[in-house]
Amino acid sequence: MLDVAILGLLMDRDHHGYEIRSQLRERLGVSANVSFGSIYPALARLERHGLVEAVAPGAPRAAAISTGSLAGERASLRSLRTSAGLGRRGRKVYRITERGRQEFHTLLADPTTVDDGKTFSLRVALARYLTPALRVRLLERRRQDLLERLAEVRQGADNPDLDAYARSVMSHAAHSVELDLEWIDDLLSIERSDSETFAHEAK
Amino acid sequence: MLDVAILGLLMDRDHHGYEIRSQLRERLGVSANVSFGSIYPALARLERHGLVEAVAPGAPRAAAISTGSLAGERASLRSLRTSAGLGRRGRKVYRITERGRQEFHTLLADPTTVDDGKTFSLRVALARYLTPALRVRLLERRRQDLLERLAEVRQGADNPDLDAYARSVMSHAAHSVELDLEWIDDLLSIERSDSETFAHEAK
DNA sequence: ATTCATCATATCACTTCGATATATCGACGA
DNA sequence: TCGTCGATATATCGAAGTGATATGATGAAT
């Protein structure tokens, strides 16, 4: 679901490929460094499908320059200079199209894809683009999946056929899933109190 | 690192492809269902490299039959019958070779590959095949990576540019990494107390 | 009897990864 | 001032993984 991630970043503002990689970590919480071997082909694909378009090299792009905070102590200095001057050599800045926006909402809400930890986190990070009802559906679906996984790893943690290391992995997986469940329950209770607030204000 | 996982399972006993998929979940704690589209090519690859070999269809394989506990309440009944009768149609059972064992130890201990959550868990699940010193190195390396990741997501959790959902993802990621760190510290303290026990007994 | 779920292997198109190549720019020291 | 180092930036390749789909055997249930 790299497509959703990229489109989600472009919903906010224009980006070029190199920047998307860092933004995935910084704004969407993606843990692995997504390789350029997936980002550039993905952008080409999205452009081919008319979901994004390249901004003309000379076009205004002041907002697309700031390089974020990960790059080190001199980042702010450098980014100031860069935004004052010209963009770098081959820099290709992409903008999301109207069709891209539609497709983004469809993909983000798509109920047929089963979430794993990564895609679920990604969807939550982009949850402001979902309706309250879709948010609740997303959370409850993941909750069910996690309950099943929990039963499985708890069984593994008690399995005397496994050695201490394998059992430890299972036991840690169980604790990790429990933490995930607490998080989801928190998010769900927030969704519910928000809708109460809304119902109250509607009176 | 599917190769290590498969070789690790075959260190214990012979397996066929279909069985490997369930064993990955049950014994090695792999959370995603690894697809057959990766397992069968991987087995073919390993056989091509001489790391595993197919046992003759009529060869003794009583130990390779039991189907595990996930298959439901009637599993034991069925497995009894199956082990009493013939093997299934195309079932191809693989055995690890001596070269395979060597390669397994090399891959498992390989210090050049950077672990993510999945490969690290996998290595811990197979940690009984590592020496105590290699286990400690594995754990401490991962510990360092997680400390860096923790700083990153904590920063994200406090980033006012992010909306509440994205910040929640970051904050949960931080808690999740903290849990991982506690686990690793537990494992490290066990390693240390084990080596003390050994030192004591050696006197 | 037939139909259904499970067991089992295999292959396909597409995506993703990791490595590598290429080039520019700014900073810093010799 | 020169060189080189690290960050910025795009691109491409082979290898590997995914999800879907096809095929077929076996045993259980109706």
Side-chain angles (χ1 to χ4, degrees), chain A residues 3 10 25 27 29 47 50 54 60 65 73 129 134 174 183:
Chain A
D3 292 11
L10 294 179
R25 286 182 79 95
R27 303 188 77 83
E47 190 174 23
I65 296 296
E73 310 91 2
Y129 296 111
L134 286 173
W183 177 45

Side-chain angles (χ1 to χ4, degrees), chain A residues 83-101:
Chain A
S83 69
L86 294 324
R88 293 195 171 275
R89 184 179 65 105
R91 205 183 233 186
K92 256 201 255 181
V93 176
Y94 290 91
R95 171 195 298 155
I96 192 167
T97 65
E98 191 47 45
R99 292 226 306 128
R101 286 199 164 82

Side-chain angles (χ1 to χ4, degrees), chain A residues 1-3 34-35 37-38 45 74 81 88-89:
Chain A
M1 288 261 131
L2 181 55
D3 292 11
V34 179
S35 80
S38 23
R45 197 168 59 234
R74 286 179 298 274
R81 280 199 208 140
R88 293 195 171 275
R89 184 179 65 105

Side-chain angles (χ1 to χ4, degrees), chain B residues 90-145:
Chain B
R91 203 185 235 186
K92 258 203 257 180
V93 176
Y94 291 91
R95 171 195 298 154
I96 192 168
T97 65
E98 192 47 45
R99 291 228 305 129
R101 278 175 220 276
Q102 286 168 25
E103 182 67 6
F104 168 69
H105 282 107
T106 307
L107 288 174
L108 186 62
D110 180 16
T112 65
T113 58
V114 179
D115 277 320
D116 62 11
K118 305 217 168 188
T119 61
F120 176 72
S121 284
L122 177 63
R123 282 185 155 150
V124 175
L126 294 169
R128 71 161 179 273
Y129 295 111
L130 289 171
T131 62
L134 287 173
R135 279 198 289 266
V136 169
R137 197 180 66 181
L138 171 69
L139 293 169
E140 281 180 343
R141 207 149 120 76
R142 178 67 180 163
R143 193 172 185 280
Q144 277 311 307
D145 291 348

Side-chain angles (χ1 to χ4, degrees), chain A residues 2-22:
Chain A
L2 181 55
D3 292 11
V4 201
I6 293 178
L7 292 175
L9 287 173
L10 294 179
M11 288 289 288
D12 241 21
R13 59 175 174 80
D14 298 349
H15 289 282
H16 54 93
Y18 188 87
E19 200 181 27
I20 282 172
R21 183 158 107 137
S22 46

Side-chain angles (χ1 to χ4, degrees), chain A residues 101-131:
Chain A
R101 286 199 164 82
Q102 285 168 26
E103 182 66 7
F104 168 68
H105 282 109
T106 307
L107 288 173
L108 187 62
D110 180 14
T112 64
T113 57
V114 180
D115 277 320
D116 61 12
K118 307 217 165 183
T119 62
F120 176 71
S121 285
L122 177 63
R123 283 187 155 149
V124 175
L126 295 169
R128 72 163 179 275
Y129 296 111
L130 289 171
T131 62

